[in-house]
Amino acid sequence: MKQGLEPRLAPIDRLRLPRSWTRALVATVLALGILAASYNVVVACRQAIQANSNKYYRATNATLGFQKIFVLNMPQRRDRRQNMSALARFHALHLTYAQTVDRHEADALAAANSYLINGTHLACYLSHLRVYQRMVRDHIETALILEDDVDVELDLKPRHAAVMREVGRRYGRDWDMLYLGHCTRDSQEPASSAYVSLYEAGHPMCLHAYAVTRECARRLAVLLEERLRTVGHDIDLVLAVGAGFGVSTVLGTSPPYMVQIGRQEVASDLTLLQDGDTAQRLHGSTLFHLRRRSTDPRTLPAYIELSRRD
């Protein structure tokens, strides 16, 4: 090709798109940006909803969101186990029974080890202590510990799910003990309400229904073994004093949705009740409901009516 006959190309800086094309391109970029941002928001919302849903379903699973539910029970107390089995069937719970220490074994251990408490008080102390030790040994991260004479609300799982959502929102995993049932009016406890409230317990008492983390169980095992020889107090008092001094993050629920059935004639094997004591009342007693609809009321103990709210 002869010189001077090459095709003349326009310089890059002279290229100009039609104004309508420019506007369309800008609009397209903006639209894509908005779509991408909207997609990210939708994904984040779906993940949040899924996370909340997962937390709900974990809190309503067969172990109420904990790794284990331990029930302290003596093998010879088949009536108590039958009672707990009825609760488990109705609420679809999986229970792990932990054998308690009886008072005769406790007396022998007290004499051999120079413990400052004995009898039923020591039996209760050691029964809970052994669960803590088992949690540490078996790497159980969280456990709900129940004594075998409890009754629970008919709407147990929705109430519990609401509590665990609040625990997660306010504390995440940074908690040590959670009392789902207690037997005293704590100074930090909110005013009575039909809805369950969560609060930081200052002096929780009674151990018929509470959850504990593995790290807290490890600390409690050390504390309780040391206190057996130095302080002659019941276990719930030892733990309450620890909570009062800020040893652990201890949470309570109000009103409690797991209560201990009480009266001297049906007193707990692990807790000494005074004559005339009565159980806390529930909005809807599961055991009363089961007894009322049973074709053979003898399959459930008569004293469940004590926990019914009129």
Side-chain angles (χ1 to χ4, degrees):
M1 183 177 294
K2 294 183 180 180
Q3 187 176 3
L5 296 182
E6 303 86 6
R8 302 177 67 86
L9 300 177
I12 296 296
D13 60 352
R14 292 184 183 178
L15 287 176
R16 293 288 186 272
L17 292 174
R19 186 171 296 178
S20 59
W21 288 20
T22 303
R23 292 196 192 109
L25 182 59
V26 171
T28 302
V29 171
L30 288 174
L32 289 174
I34 293 171
L35 283 174
S38 301
Y39 176 78
N40 290 335
V41 169
V42 170
V43 169
C45 289
R46 290 184 63 181
Q47 288 174 342
I49 293 170
Q50 185 66 39
N52 287 331
S53 177
N54 289 341
K55 287 179 182 177
Y56 176 83
Y57 286 115
R58 282 199 298 271
T60 58
N61 68 12
T63 55
L64 298 178
F66 306 109
Q67 194 170 338
K68 291 277 189 183
I69 299 179
F70 288 111
V71 177
L72 299 175
N73 173 257
M74 292 182 182
Q76 61 268 33
R77 292 307 303 264
R78 295 178 182 175
D79 56 332
R80 296 284 179 81
R81 184 172 292 214
Q82 174 184 310
N83 204 33
M84 296 303 298
S85 296
L87 290 175
R89 284 193 300 273
F90 183 81
H91 291 290
L93 301 177
H94 178 74
L95 307 179
T96 300
Y97 289 93
Q99 184 171 335
T100 58
V101 177
D102 64 38
R103 66 182 65 188
H104 304 294
E105 181 186 355
D107 286 336
L109 289 169
N113 296 281
S114 302
Y115 293 153
L116 297 180
I117 56 174
N118 54 26
T120 304
H121 297 284
L122 180 59
C124 176
Y125 200 109
L126 293 175
S127 297
H128 287 269
L129 173 57
R130 289 180 180 180
V131 173
Y132 305 153
Q133 293 168 334
R134 179 173 175 179
M135 289 180 66
V136 175
R137 183 185 66 245
D138 296 347
H139 300 279
I140 297 170
E141 295 304 320
T142 57
L144 174 61
I145 302 172
L146 303 177
E147 293 181 354
D148 62 0
D149 56 349
V150 298
D151 192 5
V152 303
E153 291 283 7
L154 271 171
D155 58 348
L156 167 66
K157 287 189 173 181
R159 284 175 182 262
H160 182 66
V163 166
M164 295 311 294
R165 277 197 297 265
E166 190 67 7
V167 171
R169 185 183 70 83
R170 291 167 55 181
Y171 300 95
R173 296 184 179 182
D174 188 22
W175 60 274
D176 296 298
M177 300 180 72
L178 171 62
Y179 283 75
L180 307 184
H182 51 83
C183 60
T184 55
R185 184 76 184 175
D186 194 290
S187 60
Q188 306 299 318
E189 188 174 348
S192 181
S193 168
Y195 301 98
V196 182
S197 300
L198 184 73
Y199 65 97
E200 293 194 16
H203 198 271
M205 292 293 289
C206 295
L207 297 174
H208 54 274
Y210 68 103
V212 63
T213 65
R214 181 171 180 263
E215 174 56 28
C216 183
R218 184 189 63 78
R219 285 185 271 124
L220 291 177
V222 174
L223 172 69
L224 293 177
E225 286 187 289
E226 182 267 329
R227 292 297 176 92
L228 273 174
R229 294 179 175 84
T230 58
V231 180
H233 292 318
D234 292 351
I235 182 172
D236 50 358
L237 183 57
V238 173
L239 298 185
V241 170
F245 282 102
V247 172
S248 304
T249 302
V250 181
L251 308 176
T253 54
S254 178
Y257 46 95
M258 296 185 175
V259 303
Q260 188 172 33
I261 301 165
R263 264 194 187 177
Q264 191 60 34
E265 64 267 28
V266 292
S268 168
D269 295 320
L270 296 179
T271 305
L272 294 178
L273 300 175
Q274 301 301 316
D275 189 27
D277 279 358
T278 56
Q280 292 168 306
R281 295 180 179 272
L282 298 169
H283 289 280
S285 160
T286 298
L287 290 178
F288 182 80
H289 171 77
L290 291 174
R291 179 178 173 79
R292 189 168 58 179
R293 74 180 214 178
S294 174
T295 56
D296 182 5
R298 292 173 299 175
T299 59
L300 291 168
Y303 62 80
I304 61 176
E305 295 187 15
L306 293 174
S307 59
R308 180 173 64 90
R309 181 183 291 274
D310 295 324

